[in-house]
Structures are given as structure tokens and as C-alpha cells.
Amino acid sequence: MTDIDDKDEERHRAKMAKRKAVQDAEVAGKTIEKGLLIVNTGPGKGKTTAAFGLALRMLGYGKRVGVVQFIKGKWHTGEKDAFAAFGDRVVWHAMGEGFTWETQDLKRDIAAAEAAWAKALELIADPSISLVVLDELNIALRYDYLALDKVVAALKARREGLHIVVTGRNAKPALVEAADLVTEMGVTKHHFSTGVKAQQGIEF
């Protein structure tokens, strides 16, 4: 451990006191409490993982969570099994048919997206649910499986206090504009580029 003399300690204490005063003033200035529309987008890994982290946090406070998966329905995922332990506090609907390059059937993809959106509207309307995760909704919007204006209008009109997280690459500008919080996840380095396949517990 580096030796710290009394002068170093005092300088550090004074610096942190100033920092605390600034932070306290900033926090005190935030007075609005509302349900947030959150968008996790970008080419980097972790968009869905981050959304499920929020779901776990919400569950930690005894709240209920709803999940609709627009694309990944055919995948078996560890998170679905883990959330099953919370019983009816998690409402989970995996309704995707797989990625569009797998199905190669436009009508089928649109029908699946519309069914998933109908289920999403049910969860959004359910007053017992505090957080709704719309996983890969951005993909459905990117390929025009759903009407963007109607989706954005419904998300903006969400009931007071409801938080919604939308995930997926290439978030539409209209959705970004409507959101309260947008995180763009970039790629600095990705193991796929070196031939590492999707692995249990990491990608699914």
C-alpha cells in the first residue's frame, strides 16, 4: 500500500467534500418521477443482458415484470429458466420465429411480430406490471413488420409509472426521439471475429 501522509489525506478529504457538494446539489435538483421509455441499441453485445439486469433489479423490490421476445422465441435461454424461479412475478412470452434470414418468409415474420405486439400491449395495460421488456422490438421495426408510428404512439402513451425497455440494433430515429434514455452499445472487440461461437451462459 502506498504511504499517505497527513497532507495527502487532507487534500483528498477537501477534494471529495467539494465533489460531494456538487453531486448532492445535482441530485436535489431532480424532482420528476415517471415511468421511463428506455432503448438499448447499437452493434455491441449486451443490450438484452442489460434489460434483464433491470428486470432483476425490479424483481428485487417485489415488483412484477413482463417480457416479450420478438425474434428469439425458438432459442432456449438461461435467462428464461432463471426468471422462471420467480413464478408469476415474471410474465414471459417468447414469440419470435427466429431471425428473418432463418425464416425467409415475410408473411410469417409479420404475423409473428403482430402477435408479439398484441401481447406487449396486454402487458403494457396490466397495472400489476412495473417493467416491460420488449426484446428485439427494434429488429421487427427495422424490417417494417410493425407500423412504426403506431408502436411509438403506444409506447409514448404508456400508463404512468410503467417502465419499458426496448432492445435491438438499429433503433429507429422516431423511437430514439420518444425515449427518455437511449444507450448505444458499441463494439471495441468481439470474440465472434476470432471464430469463437455463441456459448451457453454468455450469448444464451
Side-chain angles (χ1 to χ4, degrees), residues 34 36-43 46-47 50 54 138 152 155 158 164-186:
K34 58 173 286 188
L36 300 175
L37 175 56
I38 301 168
V39 176
N40 294 342
T41 191
K47 297 176 287 292
L54 289 179
N138 284 336
V152 171
L155 296 178
R158 66 194 177 279
I164 299 176
V165 187
V166 176
T167 75
R169 296 183 178 208
N170 302 111
K172 293 282 191 175
L175 178 58
V176 170
E177 176 65 25
D180 299 287
L181 171 62
V182 180
T183 299
E184 177 87 13
M185 297 189 177

mmCIF file of all heavy atoms in Angstrom, residues 34 36-43 46-47 50 54 138 152 155 158 164-186:
data_model
loop_
_atom_site.group_PDB
_atom_site.id
_atom_site.type_symbol
_atom_site.label_atom_id
_atom_site.label_comp_id
_atom_site.label_asym_id
_atom_site.label_seq_id
_atom_site.Cartn_x
_atom_site.Cartn_y
_atom_site.Cartn_z
ATOM 1 N N LYS A 34 -41.129 9.268 -12.963
ATOM 2 C CA LYS A 34 -42.010 8.849 -14.034
ATOM 3 C C LYS A 34 -41.571 7.498 -14.582
ATOM 4 O O LYS A 34 -40.431 7.077 -14.386
ATOM 5 C CB LYS A 34 -41.989 9.876 -15.178
ATOM 6 C CG LYS A 34 -40.611 10.118 -15.766
ATOM 7 C CD LYS A 34 -40.642 11.018 -16.998
ATOM 8 C CE LYS A 34 -41.174 10.293 -18.197
ATOM 9 N NZ LYS A 34 -41.052 11.046 -19.459
ATOM 10 N N LEU A 36 -40.191 5.281 -17.383
ATOM 11 C CA LEU A 36 -39.234 5.611 -18.440
ATOM 12 C C LEU A 36 -39.402 4.703 -19.657
ATOM 13 O O LEU A 36 -39.681 3.507 -19.522
ATOM 14 C CB LEU A 36 -37.811 5.476 -17.924
ATOM 15 C CG LEU A 36 -37.413 6.356 -16.740
ATOM 16 C CD1 LEU A 36 -36.000 6.001 -16.284
ATOM 17 C CD2 LEU A 36 -37.520 7.825 -17.093
ATOM 18 N N LEU A 37 -39.172 5.278 -20.822
ATOM 19 C CA LEU A 37 -39.023 4.511 -22.051
ATOM 20 C C LEU A 37 -37.525 4.447 -22.329
ATOM 21 O O LEU A 37 -36.887 5.473 -22.577
ATOM 22 C CB LEU A 37 -39.765 5.174 -23.205
ATOM 23 C CG LEU A 37 -39.583 4.505 -24.585
ATOM 24 C CD1 LEU A 37 -39.975 3.032 -24.537
ATOM 25 C CD2 LEU A 37 -40.389 5.255 -25.640
ATOM 26 N N ILE A 38 -36.977 3.242 -22.251
ATOM 27 C CA ILE A 38 -35.539 3.013 -22.348
ATOM 28 C C ILE A 38 -35.254 2.217 -23.620
ATOM 29 O O ILE A 38 -35.943 1.235 -23.913
ATOM 30 C CB ILE A 38 -35.038 2.235 -21.111
ATOM 31 C CG1 ILE A 38 -35.337 3.026 -19.830
ATOM 32 C CG2 ILE A 38 -33.553 1.909 -21.226
ATOM 33 C CD1 ILE A 38 -35.135 2.226 -18.552
ATOM 34 N N VAL A 39 -34.246 2.640 -24.356
ATOM 35 C CA VAL A 39 -33.860 1.944 -25.587
ATOM 36 C C VAL A 39 -32.398 1.531 -25.485
ATOM 37 O O VAL A 39 -31.517 2.375 -25.287
ATOM 38 C CB VAL A 39 -34.082 2.834 -26.827
ATOM 39 C CG1 VAL A 39 -33.569 2.119 -28.083
ATOM 40 C CG2 VAL A 39 -35.559 3.194 -26.980
ATOM 41 N N ASN A 40 -32.147 0.226 -25.617
ATOM 42 C CA ASN A 40 -30.787 -0.311 -25.683
ATOM 43 C C ASN A 40 -30.530 -0.729 -27.122
ATOM 44 O O ASN A 40 -31.152 -1.677 -27.621
ATOM 45 C CB ASN A 40 -30.622 -1.525 -24.762
ATOM 46 C CG ASN A 40 -30.756 -1.183 -23.303
ATOM 47 O OD1 ASN A 40 -30.640 -0.023 -22.903
ATOM 48 N ND2 ASN A 40 -30.999 -2.188 -22.469
ATOM 49 N N THR A 41 -29.630 -0.039 -27.794
ATOM 50 C CA THR A 41 -29.394 -0.308 -29.212
ATOM 51 C C THR A 41 -27.904 -0.307 -29.502
ATOM 52 O O THR A 41 -27.081 -0.241 -28.592
ATOM 53 C CB THR A 41 -30.169 0.716 -30.085
ATOM 54 O OG1 THR A 41 -30.150 0.288 -31.451
ATOM 55 C CG2 THR A 41 -29.596 2.111 -29.946
ATOM 56 N N GLY A 42 -27.548 -0.400 -30.782
ATOM 57 C CA GLY A 42 -26.153 -0.393 -31.170
ATOM 58 C C GLY A 42 -25.642 -1.781 -31.530
ATOM 59 O O GLY A 42 -26.274 -2.790 -31.215
ATOM 60 N N PRO A 43 -24.483 -1.854 -32.168
ATOM 61 C CA PRO A 43 -23.932 -3.128 -32.640
ATOM 62 C C PRO A 43 -23.250 -3.968 -31.566
ATOM 63 O O PRO A 43 -22.919 -5.129 -31.794
ATOM 64 C CB PRO A 43 -22.912 -2.694 -33.701
ATOM 65 C CG PRO A 43 -22.446 -1.352 -33.216
ATOM 66 C CD PRO A 43 -23.664 -0.701 -32.614
ATOM 67 N N GLY A 46 -24.784 -7.014 -25.348
ATOM 68 C CA GLY A 46 -25.228 -6.672 -24.001
ATOM 69 C C GLY A 46 -26.539 -5.929 -23.908
ATOM 70 O O GLY A 46 -26.964 -5.558 -22.812
ATOM 71 N N LYS A 47 -27.224 -5.714 -25.008
ATOM 72 C CA LYS A 47 -28.472 -4.936 -24.988
ATOM 73 C C LYS A 47 -29.564 -5.659 -24.202
ATOM 74 O O LYS A 47 -30.196 -5.096 -23.306
ATOM 75 C CB LYS A 47 -28.929 -4.659 -26.427
ATOM 76 C CG LYS A 47 -27.938 -3.810 -27.218
ATOM 77 C CD LYS A 47 -28.345 -3.622 -28.663
ATOM 78 C CE LYS A 47 -28.159 -4.855 -29.504
ATOM 79 N NZ LYS A 47 -26.741 -5.220 -29.699
ATOM 80 N N ALA A 50 -28.503 -6.201 -20.458
ATOM 81 C CA ALA A 50 -28.745 -5.020 -19.634
ATOM 82 C C ALA A 50 -30.220 -4.891 -19.268
ATOM 83 O O ALA A 50 -30.564 -4.533 -18.137
ATOM 84 C CB ALA A 50 -28.269 -3.765 -20.365
ATOM 85 N N LEU A 54 -32.080 -4.903 -15.417
ATOM 86 C CA LEU A 54 -33.118 -4.037 -14.855
ATOM 87 C C LEU A 54 -34.295 -4.861 -14.349
ATOM 88 O O LEU A 54 -34.888 -4.534 -13.316
ATOM 89 C CB LEU A 54 -33.595 -3.038 -15.910
ATOM 90 C CG LEU A 54 -32.618 -1.937 -16.301
ATOM 91 C CD1 LEU A 54 -33.246 -1.046 -17.372
ATOM 92 C CD2 LEU A 54 -32.225 -1.096 -15.097
ATOM 93 N N ASN A 138 -36.733 -3.637 -31.820
ATOM 94 C CA ASN A 138 -36.063 -2.815 -32.832
ATOM 95 C C ASN A 138 -35.856 -3.568 -34.150
ATOM 96 O O ASN A 138 -35.881 -2.964 -35.224
ATOM 97 C CB ASN A 138 -34.713 -2.311 -32.318
ATOM 98 C CG ASN A 138 -34.860 -1.179 -31.331
ATOM 99 O OD1 ASN A 138 -35.853 -0.463 -31.333
ATOM 100 N ND2 ASN A 138 -33.874 -1.018 -30.465
ATOM 101 N N VAL A 152 -44.680 3.572 -31.666
ATOM 102 C CA VAL A 152 -44.152 4.704 -30.915
ATOM 103 C C VAL A 152 -45.260 5.408 -30.147
ATOM 104 O O VAL A 152 -45.097 5.781 -28.976
ATOM 105 C CB VAL A 152 -43.422 5.694 -31.846
ATOM 106 C CG1 VAL A 152 -43.062 6.979 -31.100
ATOM 107 C CG2 VAL A 152 -42.159 5.045 -32.411
ATOM 108 N N LEU A 155 -46.141 3.350 -27.088
ATOM 109 C CA LEU A 155 -45.095 3.421 -26.061
ATOM 110 C C LEU A 155 -45.111 4.771 -25.347
ATOM 111 O O LEU A 155 -44.930 4.839 -24.125
ATOM 112 C CB LEU A 155 -43.728 3.165 -26.694
ATOM 113 C CG LEU A 155 -43.515 1.769 -27.295
ATOM 114 C CD1 LEU A 155 -42.134 1.673 -27.940
ATOM 115 C CD2 LEU A 155 -43.688 0.686 -26.245
ATOM 116 N N ARG A 158 -47.886 5.050 -22.691
ATOM 117 C CA ARG A 158 -47.867 4.063 -21.603
ATOM 118 C C ARG A 158 -48.424 4.675 -20.320
ATOM 119 O O ARG A 158 -48.317 5.881 -20.094
ATOM 120 C CB ARG A 158 -46.431 3.568 -21.380
ATOM 121 C CG ARG A 158 -45.487 4.633 -20.862
ATOM 122 C CD ARG A 158 -44.029 4.226 -20.975
ATOM 123 N NE ARG A 158 -43.137 5.293 -20.527
ATOM 124 C CZ ARG A 158 -42.789 6.333 -21.259
ATOM 125 N NH1 ARG A 158 -43.279 6.478 -22.477
ATOM 126 N NH2 ARG A 158 -41.966 7.250 -20.779
ATOM 127 N N ILE A 164 -40.563 0.801 -19.646
ATOM 128 C CA ILE A 164 -40.468 -0.093 -20.803
ATOM 129 C C ILE A 164 -39.047 -0.047 -21.340
ATOM 130 O O ILE A 164 -38.479 1.029 -21.521
ATOM 131 C CB ILE A 164 -41.454 0.315 -21.913
ATOM 132 C CG1 ILE A 164 -42.900 0.251 -21.411
ATOM 133 C CG2 ILE A 164 -41.283 -0.583 -23.141
ATOM 134 C CD1 ILE A 164 -43.926 0.725 -22.430
ATOM 135 N N VAL A 165 -38.487 -1.223 -21.596
ATOM 136 C CA VAL A 165 -37.163 -1.318 -22.200
ATOM 137 C C VAL A 165 -37.297 -1.991 -23.561
ATOM 138 O O VAL A 165 -37.836 -3.092 -23.668
ATOM 139 C CB VAL A 165 -36.177 -2.126 -21.335
ATOM 140 C CG1 VAL A 165 -34.771 -2.040 -21.921
ATOM 141 C CG2 VAL A 165 -36.181 -1.638 -19.899
ATOM 142 N N VAL A 166 -36.794 -1.324 -24.588
ATOM 143 C CA VAL A 166 -36.796 -1.854 -25.947
ATOM 144 C C VAL A 166 -35.350 -2.174 -26.325
ATOM 145 O O VAL A 166 -34.458 -1.342 -26.133
ATOM 146 C CB VAL A 166 -37.374 -0.829 -26.948
ATOM 147 C CG1 VAL A 166 -37.290 -1.358 -28.379
ATOM 148 C CG2 VAL A 166 -38.819 -0.486 -26.584
ATOM 149 N N THR A 167 -35.115 -3.368 -26.856
ATOM 150 C CA THR A 167 -33.758 -3.740 -27.241
ATOM 151 C C THR A 167 -33.669 -4.021 -28.737
ATOM 152 O O THR A 167 -34.672 -4.201 -29.418
ATOM 153 C CB THR A 167 -33.258 -4.977 -26.467
ATOM 154 O OG1 THR A 167 -33.885 -6.155 -26.991
ATOM 155 C CG2 THR A 167 -33.536 -4.858 -24.982
ATOM 156 N N GLY A 168 -32.436 -4.074 -29.217
ATOM 157 C CA GLY A 168 -32.182 -4.434 -30.604
ATOM 158 C C GLY A 168 -31.375 -3.375 -31.340
ATOM 159 O O GLY A 168 -31.424 -2.193 -31.011
ATOM 160 N N ARG A 169 -30.650 -3.814 -32.333
ATOM 161 C CA ARG A 169 -29.849 -2.905 -33.154
ATOM 162 C C ARG A 169 -30.724 -1.964 -33.969
ATOM 163 O O ARG A 169 -31.903 -2.228 -34.177
ATOM 164 C CB ARG A 169 -28.977 -3.707 -34.125
ATOM 165 C CG ARG A 169 -27.939 -4.590 -33.467
ATOM 166 C CD ARG A 169 -27.089 -5.268 -34.528
ATOM 167 N NE ARG A 169 -26.041 -6.086 -33.918
ATOM 168 C CZ ARG A 169 -24.885 -6.353 -34.494
ATOM 169 N NH1 ARG A 169 -24.624 -5.858 -35.694
ATOM 170 N NH2 ARG A 169 -23.989 -7.102 -33.884
ATOM 171 N N ASN A 170 -30.099 -0.907 -34.445
ATOM 172 C CA ASN A 170 -30.719 -0.013 -35.426
ATOM 173 C C ASN A 170 -32.058 0.560 -34.973
ATOM 174 O O ASN A 170 -33.047 0.510 -35.713
ATOM 175 C CB ASN A 170 -30.891 -0.734 -36.766
ATOM 176 C CG ASN A 170 -29.584 -1.250 -37.333
ATOM 177 O OD1 ASN A 170 -29.354 -2.457 -37.402
ATOM 178 N ND2 ASN A 170 -28.703 -0.349 -37.731
ATOM 179 N N ALA A 171 -32.093 1.096 -33.774
ATOM 180 C CA ALA A 171 -33.325 1.743 -33.296
ATOM 181 C C ALA A 171 -33.719 2.859 -34.255
ATOM 182 O O ALA A 171 -32.884 3.646 -34.695
ATOM 183 C CB ALA A 171 -33.116 2.305 -31.897
ATOM 184 N N LYS A 172 -34.989 2.924 -34.572
ATOM 185 C CA LYS A 172 -35.491 3.949 -35.486
ATOM 186 C C LYS A 172 -35.389 5.329 -34.840
ATOM 187 O O LYS A 172 -35.608 5.480 -33.625
ATOM 188 C CB LYS A 172 -36.945 3.656 -35.843
ATOM 189 C CG LYS A 172 -37.154 2.389 -36.663
ATOM 190 C CD LYS A 172 -36.801 2.614 -38.110
ATOM 191 C CE LYS A 172 -37.251 1.456 -38.985
ATOM 192 N NZ LYS A 172 -37.010 1.715 -40.411
ATOM 193 N N PRO A 173 -35.067 6.357 -35.623
ATOM 194 C CA PRO A 173 -34.945 7.715 -35.078
ATOM 195 C C PRO A 173 -36.186 8.169 -34.308
ATOM 196 O O PRO A 173 -36.062 8.851 -33.290
ATOM 197 C CB PRO A 173 -34.708 8.573 -36.316
ATOM 198 C CG PRO A 173 -34.030 7.650 -37.273
ATOM 199 C CD PRO A 173 -34.669 6.306 -37.046
ATOM 200 N N ALA A 174 -37.366 7.801 -34.760
ATOM 201 C CA ALA A 174 -38.598 8.216 -34.073
ATOM 202 C C ALA A 174 -38.678 7.607 -32.678
ATOM 203 O O ALA A 174 -39.167 8.253 -31.735
ATOM 204 C CB ALA A 174 -39.818 7.819 -34.897
ATOM 205 N N LEU A 175 -38.206 6.392 -32.536
ATOM 206 C CA LEU A 175 -38.198 5.747 -31.224
ATOM 207 C C LEU A 175 -37.148 6.382 -30.322
ATOM 208 O O LEU A 175 -37.394 6.624 -29.137
ATOM 209 C CB LEU A 175 -37.939 4.251 -31.373
ATOM 210 C CG LEU A 175 -37.866 3.443 -30.073
ATOM 211 C CD1 LEU A 175 -39.159 3.581 -29.271
ATOM 212 C CD2 LEU A 175 -37.576 1.979 -30.369
ATOM 213 N N VAL A 176 -35.990 6.659 -30.876
ATOM 214 C CA VAL A 176 -34.927 7.331 -30.116
ATOM 215 C C VAL A 176 -35.421 8.685 -29.609
ATOM 216 O O VAL A 176 -35.193 9.066 -28.461
ATOM 217 C CB VAL A 176 -33.673 7.498 -30.989
ATOM 218 C CG1 VAL A 176 -32.646 8.411 -30.307
ATOM 219 C CG2 VAL A 176 -33.053 6.131 -31.285
ATOM 220 N N GLU A 177 -36.131 9.410 -30.465
ATOM 221 C CA GLU A 177 -36.655 10.723 -30.088
ATOM 222 C C GLU A 177 -37.679 10.608 -28.962
ATOM 223 O O GLU A 177 -37.718 11.440 -28.053
ATOM 224 C CB GLU A 177 -37.302 11.381 -31.311
ATOM 225 C CG GLU A 177 -37.963 12.718 -31.035
ATOM 226 C CD GLU A 177 -36.994 13.802 -30.616
ATOM 227 O OE1 GLU A 177 -35.797 13.708 -30.979
ATOM 228 O OE2 GLU A 177 -37.413 14.736 -29.909
ATOM 229 N N ALA A 178 -38.485 9.560 -28.990
ATOM 230 C CA ALA A 178 -39.534 9.388 -27.978
ATOM 231 C C ALA A 178 -39.002 8.894 -26.641
ATOM 232 O O ALA A 178 -39.637 9.096 -25.600
ATOM 233 C CB ALA A 178 -40.594 8.410 -28.493
ATOM 234 N N ALA A 179 -37.835 8.268 -26.648
ATOM 235 C CA ALA A 179 -37.296 7.628 -25.450
ATOM 236 C C ALA A 179 -36.786 8.638 -24.431
ATOM 237 O O ALA A 179 -36.396 9.757 -24.765
ATOM 238 C CB ALA A 179 -36.178 6.670 -25.832
ATOM 239 N N ASP A 180 -36.775 8.211 -23.170
ATOM 240 C CA ASP A 180 -36.185 9.001 -22.083
ATOM 241 C C ASP A 180 -34.701 8.692 -21.913
ATOM 242 O O ASP A 180 -33.920 9.539 -21.479
ATOM 243 C CB ASP A 180 -36.900 8.692 -20.764
ATOM 244 C CG ASP A 180 -38.371 9.047 -20.807
ATOM 245 O OD1 ASP A 180 -38.692 10.242 -20.776
ATOM 246 O OD2 ASP A 180 -39.204 8.111 -20.886
ATOM 247 N N LEU A 181 -34.330 7.464 -22.225
ATOM 248 C CA LEU A 181 -32.946 7.003 -22.036
ATOM 249 C C LEU A 181 -32.581 6.115 -23.214
ATOM 250 O O LEU A 181 -33.289 5.145 -23.507
ATOM 251 C CB LEU A 181 -32.828 6.225 -20.723
ATOM 252 C CG LEU A 181 -31.513 5.485 -20.453
ATOM 253 C CD1 LEU A 181 -30.345 6.451 -20.382
ATOM 254 C CD2 LEU A 181 -31.619 4.677 -19.165
ATOM 255 N N VAL A 182 -31.509 6.446 -23.894
ATOM 256 C CA VAL A 182 -31.028 5.645 -25.022
ATOM 257 C C VAL A 182 -29.559 5.327 -24.788
ATOM 258 O O VAL A 182 -28.752 6.229 -24.572
ATOM 259 C CB VAL A 182 -31.196 6.381 -26.367
ATOM 260 C CG1 VAL A 182 -30.675 5.514 -27.509
ATOM 261 C CG2 VAL A 182 -32.651 6.765 -26.597
ATOM 262 N N THR A 183 -29.231 4.042 -24.840
ATOM 263 C CA THR A 183 -27.845 3.621 -24.721
ATOM 264 C C THR A 183 -27.419 2.946 -26.017
ATOM 265 O O THR A 183 -28.054 1.981 -26.451
ATOM 266 C CB THR A 183 -27.654 2.641 -23.542
ATOM 267 O OG1 THR A 183 -28.013 3.299 -22.333
ATOM 268 C CG2 THR A 183 -26.203 2.179 -23.443
ATOM 269 N N GLU A 184 -26.374 3.483 -26.608
ATOM 270 C CA GLU A 184 -25.816 2.929 -27.841
ATOM 271 C C GLU A 184 -24.614 2.076 -27.456
ATOM 272 O O GLU A 184 -23.590 2.594 -27.005
ATOM 273 C CB GLU A 184 -25.388 4.062 -28.781
ATOM 274 C CG GLU A 184 -24.724 3.606 -30.060
ATOM 275 C CD GLU A 184 -25.696 3.302 -31.183
ATOM 276 O OE1 GLU A 184 -26.872 3.683 -31.063
ATOM 277 O OE2 GLU A 184 -25.276 2.689 -32.176
ATOM 278 N N MET A 185 -24.747 0.772 -27.617
ATOM 279 C CA MET A 185 -23.670 -0.142 -27.238
ATOM 280 C C MET A 185 -22.771 -0.391 -28.441
ATOM 281 O O MET A 185 -23.207 -0.941 -29.454
ATOM 282 C CB MET A 185 -24.256 -1.436 -26.698
ATOM 283 C CG MET A 185 -25.061 -1.220 -25.436
ATOM 284 S SD MET A 185 -25.543 -2.740 -24.637
ATOM 285 C CE MET A 185 -26.363 -2.077 -23.172
ATOM 286 N N GLY A 186 -21.539 0.036 -28.320
ATOM 287 C CA GLY A 186 -20.596 -0.103 -29.420
ATOM 288 C C GLY A 186 -19.746 -1.351 -29.292
ATOM 289 O O GLY A 186 -19.795 -2.057 -28.280
#
